[in-house]
């Protein structure tokens, strides 16, 4: 049973209402849920909160999941950690199938999973020692599957110096696949001063699908001078506030780096790429073993020089684009697939 | 002080004996005092990131009359410059042996206050600082 199923079942349950679930969540300490929210919104809130565990939900309404006592025993054997790993593994598969499944099909999947748990139990009980060995083999096999399985969702971070077009790129990606923007862009440095995210973006290419959480980060810089903002018609108080937010944003971006699975290091192709910020970002990604793709942006500009970036960082995969015009984005998606493979 | 520029040189031995926090504190403090520091050696990538973080925290600091606006950093490494040139095999081997003996990549790092150092250009062969 996976978390997705739990919510699918709740969504279609005639017994458990949203009022019931909100009351239950409130008891667990989540007070933000309201009955007028839809199930997707409720699910999102719960998934972001560690106070309600999957098993809590199932134990609260066991008959809805048809698990009762026998299922719980099975869970104890498999272990909670394994269940969570399985959940991550299956989630992507479930999401893929979700669009074409009917309510009845969901129920069938749930029943099959329940039977799967029972089969192991029965073999184990009836087969004596052999059954037990078989059970151990299953556990070992699951462990190997988990070890070598491919990740099905990636944290894709967009990093780079200020004003290289990170948010423009994030908007382009998000608009291409979700039809909505990530954040506001402007010519004023440090426009993005907080991490901005779009979750569950599904990129499709040549029949394959990749799910990403897109993380747009504030531009990294070694300096922030409030006087710089005075040139953009800010008064001193607002300029100082903006500078303060910018410094916090840079620290936040650095802290997020460890959470990334893949990073797009965005560079302005009209400028010298051998800046300390670029070197520091690439050096840190390399040291952390995070795959990186250099995105040479602003190719629509006359002064753009893609070759200069390629020559500066020959060891990295580089793709030239114009995020503003949305050109060469297909090439970028192709490279993202390659980097995450 | 007007028309005066302080450049502090830090040999590798003196820099390497410092702890991580000491290194960062020293570099930021010197920049706050309007001094340029030339370090014989390179910061590790995570030290560079920590230096940026420490710099941001100092800019944000609540000190009265805090005029610190950050730093400019530049570095030049043997790997990026010297080895790329067409040197003879024996020269390359000597360089690699030296690198092995020293235990880390050789290079130079320059750090200065952003109020003074307006730009650092990092040609693989040389560092150019525009100072105002």
């Amino acid at each position: 049973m996976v978390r997705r199923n739990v919510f699918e079942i709740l969504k279609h349950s005639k017994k458990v209402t949203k009022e019931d679930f909100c009351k239950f969540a409130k008891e667990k300490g989540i007070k933000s849920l309201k009955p007028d929210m839809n199930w997707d919104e409720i699910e999102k809130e719960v998934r972001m909160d560690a106070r309600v565990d999957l098993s809590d939900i199932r134990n609260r309404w066991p008959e809805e999941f048809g698990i009762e006592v026998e299922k719980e025993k099975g869970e104890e054997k498999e272990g909670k950690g394994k269940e969570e790993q399985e959940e991550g593994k299956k989630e992507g598969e479930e999401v893929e199938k979700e669009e074409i499944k009917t309510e009845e099909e969901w129920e069938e999947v749930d029943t099959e999973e329940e039977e799967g748990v029972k089969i192991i139990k029965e073999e184990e009980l009836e087969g004596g020692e052999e059954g037990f060995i078989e059970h151990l083999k299953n556990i070992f096999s699951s462990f190997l599957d988990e070890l070598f399985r491919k990740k099905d969702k990636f944290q894709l971070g967009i990093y780079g110096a200020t004003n290289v077009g990170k948010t423009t790129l994030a908007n382009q990606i998000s608009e291409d696949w979700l039809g909505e923007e990530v954040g506001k862009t402007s010519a004023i440095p440090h426009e993005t001063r907080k991490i901005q995210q779009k979750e569950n973006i599904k990129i499709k290419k040549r029949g394959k699908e990749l799910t990403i959480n897109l993380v747009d980060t504030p531009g990294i810089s070694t300096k922030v001078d409030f006087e710089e903002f005075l040139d953009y018609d800010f008064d001193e108080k607002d300029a100082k506030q903006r500078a303060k937010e910018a410094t916090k944003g840079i620290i936040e971006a650095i802290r997020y780096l460890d959470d990334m699975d893949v990073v797009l290091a965005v560079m302005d192709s009209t400028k010298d790429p051998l800046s300390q910020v670029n070197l520091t970002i690439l050096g840190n990604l390399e040291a952390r073993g995070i795959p990186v793709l250099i995105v040479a942006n602003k190719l629509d500009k006359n002064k753009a020089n893609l070759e200069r970036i390629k020559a500066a960082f020959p060891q990295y995969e580089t793709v030239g684009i114009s995020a503003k015009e949305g050109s060469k984005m297909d090439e970028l998606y192709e490279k993202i697939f390659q980097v995450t493979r | 002080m007007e028309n005066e520029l302080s450049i502090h040189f830090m040999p590798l031995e003196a820099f390497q004996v410092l702890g991580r926090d000491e290194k960062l504190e020293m570099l930021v403090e010197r920049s706050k005092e309007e001094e340029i520091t030339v370090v014989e050696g390179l910061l590790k990538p995570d030290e560079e990131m920590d230096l940026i973080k420490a710099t941001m925290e100092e800019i944000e600091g609540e000190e009265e009359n805090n005029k610190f606006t950050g730093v400019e950093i530049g570095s030049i490494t043997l790997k990026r410059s010297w080895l790329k040139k067409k040197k003879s095999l024996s020269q390359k081997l000597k360089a690699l042996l030296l690198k092995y003996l020293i235990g880390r990549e050789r290079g130079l790092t320059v750090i200065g206050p952003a109020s003074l150092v307006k730009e650092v250009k990092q040609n693989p062969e040389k560092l150019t600082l525009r100072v105002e």
Side-chain angles (χ1 to χ4, degrees), chain B residues 96-128:
Chain B
L96 288 171
L97 181 67
L98 202 58
K99 184 185 164 186
Y100 176 75
L101 290 172
I102 289 174
R104 60 188 299 178
E105 210 174 294
R106 286 191 300 157
L108 275 183
T109 306
V110 179
I111 294 149
S115 55
L116 197 66
V117 182
K118 298 297 172 187
E119 192 183 4
V120 177
K121 282 193 176 175
Q122 309 198 54
N123 181 310
E125 290 295 308
K126 63 177 180 183
L127 279 176
T128 309

Side-chain angles (χ1 to χ4, degrees), chain A residues 220-223 250-251 254-255 257 274-288 313 316, chain B residues 15 20-21 23-25 27-28 39 41-57 71-77 79-80 104-111 122 127:
Chain A
I220 306 278
S221 174
T222 57
K223 58 185 178 182
I250 292 169
I251 294 170
I254 293 170
R255 284 189 184 137
L257 196 61
L274 281 172
S275 70
Q276 192 60 38
V277 166
N278 287 342
L279 293 168
T280 301
I281 291 171
L282 292 174
N284 273 272
L285 293 169
E286 195 177 330
R288 289 164 164 83
F313 305 110
Y316 294 99
Chain B
F15 190 65
R20 185 193 188 84
D21 292 343
K23 280 181 196 171
L24 300 181
E25 195 183 329
L27 293 171
V28 173
V39 177
L42 297 165
L43 292 172
K44 292 176 190 166
D46 56 335
E47 286 175 338
E48 286 173 359
M49 271 301 190
D50 283 350
L51 178 63
I52 295 177
K53 260 203 278 188
T55 302
M56 291 304 123
E57 281 160 7
V71 296
E72 278 289 358
I73 314 169
S75 62
I76 190 162
T77 71
K79 192 168 81 178
R80 285 211 303 273
R104 60 188 299 178
E105 210 174 294
R106 286 191 300 157
L108 275 183
T109 306
V110 179
I111 294 149
Q122 309 198 54
L127 279 176

Side-chain angles (χ1 to χ4, degrees), chain A residues 165-303:
Chain A
K166 293 179 298 302
T167 304
T168 310
L169 173 61
N171 284 343
Q172 189 64 51
I173 294 173
S174 184
E175 277 173 4
D176 280 351
W177 304 102
L178 281 185
E180 54 193 62
E181 279 194 349
V182 174
K184 189 182 155 198
T185 59
S186 89
I188 307 169
H190 303 287
E191 180 63 44
T192 305
R193 298 182 298 284
K194 281 187 175 171
I195 297 279
Q196 307 179 124
Q197 301 191 57
K198 281 282 173 201
E199 292 188 338
N200 292 321
I201 297 180
K202 294 181 195 308
I203 298 176
K204 290 169 186 168
K205 200 87 190 144
R206 296 173 197 244
K208 289 181 182 172
E209 189 176 281
L210 179 73
T211 307
I212 57 164
N213 288 340
L214 187 64
V215 185
D216 178 32
T217 64
I220 306 278
S221 174
T222 57
K223 58 185 178 182
V224 178
D225 187 353
F226 83 89
E227 288 188 3
E228 196 181 355
F229 302 123
L230 298 177
D231 298 337
Y232 295 92
D233 290 339
F234 284 89
D235 62 34
E236 192 171 319
K237 190 184 164 198
D238 288 346
K240 282 185 173 170
Q241 179 59 29
R242 197 178 175 93
K244 206 175 175 79
E245 289 168 8
T247 57
K248 283 183 193 297
I250 292 169
I251 294 170
E252 196 184 8
I254 293 170
R255 284 189 184 137
Y256 260 71
L257 196 61
D258 280 323
D259 294 338
M260 299 302 140
D261 296 312
V262 182
V263 164
L264 302 181
V266 186
M267 298 180 192
D268 181 343
S269 59
T270 67
K271 291 187 176 164
D272 180 6
L274 281 172
S275 70
Q276 192 60 38
V277 166
N278 287 342
L279 293 168
T280 301
I281 291 171
L282 292 174
N284 273 272
L285 293 169
E286 195 177 330
R288 289 164 164 83
I290 300 171
V292 58
L293 179 61
I294 294 179
V295 180
N297 193 21
K298 305 193 183 182
L299 277 194
D300 54 295
K301 299 262 174 91
N302 288 335
K303 285 182 182 173

